[in-house]
Amino acid sequence: MYKPFGMIPALPTPMNEDKSIDFKGLEQLIEHLVDGGMNCLLVGGSTGEYSLMSMEERKKVIKFVCETSNGRLPVMAGTGCHRTEDTIELTKYAAEVGADCALVINPYYMTTSRQGIIDHYKAVAENSSIGIVIYHYPDATGVELDPELINEISHIDGIVGIKNTADGQHTSKLIALTKANPNFAVLTGFEHLILPTLALGGHGAIGVVHNLAPKKIAKLYDLIVNENNLKEATKLNQELLDLYNVIEEETIPGTVKAGLEALGLPGGSSRLPLVPASETFKSKIETVLNELGELRLKQH
């Protein structure tokens, strides 16, 4: 069973002017990321606007990314839904069309107990032929899973990792608790924590700046994990800090889409209630990408 690792971009979903999905643009983005040396593709995550899509649209996007990747990169499909039954249905579909694992957000809004959270993941994993990655994002869900609870869930058959969009203390404790589990990967969801997460023994990062500077993000991973060169990794991480910072100045995915358009790649608008980046931001992200040398690689 595939266990995710490395640098994994959370794909935004390019949109046409009428807010329909721009599949041609999505194909261009996938080629950009394959060429950029990414380790896996996340489709249908928060950045992909999954919560603003119908179930049918979510299925179409997952299938398209699997078919376009065509085995060149593993695909992680966002399949989390409010109902456990719907999550199982979408995860089964993702497996059928070629996804290698599924990203499942923890239950939220309909507040449940610790046991309810465990039972949710157990039910999804038991009914899936691909590995399940926990999606922990307390800033968005209002539900925090403590490291001990995550460690307990990590021992369920079929649970292969976590996207931990939580602070460094939480992530470091989680790495320590799960390090003896060979079937479980800890991936940070915060770009600022890529370096410390990998240095502490984490397995990778799922992020949005990966879409804008994939080769540099891939190099950061190689320097730490494969070359054990923390000095050069720290230097490269310092160069990337302005990009990490600027991407959060306005609403994601609007900021990421603005960055893609600065690179000559399709972004488009977002569906309400999400809004596009401001003109001020567009100018700022172009400056940051230019300073990183990314605009010299601009596609025409």
Side-chain angles (χ1 to χ4, degrees):
M1 192 169 274
Y2 171 74
K3 183 178 81 170
F5 71 93
M7 298 292 100
I8 303 172
L11 273 66
T13 304
M15 299 276 183
N16 297 307
E17 283 187 21
D18 64 358
K19 307 297 174 71
S20 62
I21 296 164
D22 177 6
F23 285 100
K24 185 177 179 182
L26 185 55
E27 182 179 5
Q28 286 181 256
L29 176 57
I30 292 165
E31 296 305 323
H32 164 69
L33 295 169
V34 170
D35 292 344
M38 294 291 92
N39 298 107
C40 177
L41 300 170
L42 166 59
V43 55
S46 300
T47 301
E49 299 176 60
Y50 83 89
S51 63
L52 305 178
M53 292 182 187
S54 67
M55 181 68 91
E56 197 54 42
E57 285 178 316
R58 292 179 73 180
K59 288 181 176 180
K60 284 181 180 178
V61 170
I62 290 169
K63 183 179 182 184
F64 183 84
V65 171
C66 290
E67 289 177 346
T68 305
S69 178
N70 195 27
R72 291 177 295 168
L73 286 180
V75 174
M76 179 185 298
T79 62
C81 303
H82 279 295
R83 292 200 324 153
T84 304
E85 291 86 350
D86 292 339
T87 304
I88 291 169
E89 177 197 334
L90 189 53
T91 304
K92 283 183 175 179
Y93 177 83
E96 288 169 8
V97 297
D100 297 271
C101 62
L103 182 69
V104 175
I105 199 152
N106 56 268
Y108 66 98
Y109 182 67
M110 296 298 290
T111 308
T112 186
S113 63
R114 292 172 74 86
Q115 191 59 49
I117 293 168
I118 293 167
D119 290 350
H120 172 76
Y121 279 107
K122 191 173 183 182
V124 176
E126 284 178 347
N127 287 281
S128 173
S129 61
I130 55 176
I132 303 301
V133 179
I134 302 162
Y135 186 9
H136 182 221
Y137 191 6
D139 285 351
T141 63
V143 178
E144 179 157 359
L145 311 182
D146 58 67
E148 291 78 11
L149 175 57
I150 296 167
N151 183 41
E152 186 173 349
I153 297 168
S154 78
H155 292 284
I156 296 170
D157 285 345
I159 301 292
V160 296
I162 184 170
K163 178 186 179 184
N164 199 38
T165 312
D167 65 35
Q169 184 177 356
H170 187 284
T171 298
S172 62
K173 188 171 183 182
L174 183 58
I175 291 169
L177 281 172
T178 61
K179 66 181 179 181
N181 185 347
N183 303 313
F184 189 75
V186 176
L187 306 145
T188 182
F190 282 140
E191 281 85 356
H192 290 85
L193 296 182
I194 292 174
L195 192 151
T197 296
L198 293 173
L200 286 168
H203 301 83
I206 300 174
V208 294
V209 303
H210 303 46
N211 294 285
L212 306 179
K215 290 183 179 178
K216 286 185 173 63
I217 292 291
K219 179 63 176 175
L220 183 61
Y221 178 82
D222 285 338
L223 284 169
I224 303 167
V225 177
N226 298 323
E227 299 176 28
N228 197 26
N229 190 340
L230 206 55
K231 183 177 179 181
E232 282 301 309
T234 302
K235 182 180 174 184
L236 177 55
N237 192 66
Q238 195 71 30
E239 291 173 14
L240 287 162
L241 276 178
D242 282 347
L243 183 58
Y244 298 167
N245 290 331
V246 75
I247 211 71
E248 296 177 353
E249 286 189 7
E250 292 185 12
T251 306
I252 294 172
T255 55
V256 187
K257 290 185 171 187
L260 288 173
E261 289 178 350
L263 295 173
L265 289 161
S269 61
S270 295
R271 293 178 176 177
L272 285 170
L274 296 175
V275 293
S278 67
E279 292 303 316
T280 301
F281 178 85
K282 289 176 182 178
S283 176
K284 188 178 285 191
I285 189 74
E286 189 165 339
T287 298
V288 171
L289 288 169
N290 187 47
E291 289 173 352
L292 269 176
E294 293 300 318
L295 293 195
R296 289 198 294 273
L297 309 173
K298 187 172 180 176
Q299 299 186 18
H300 298 285

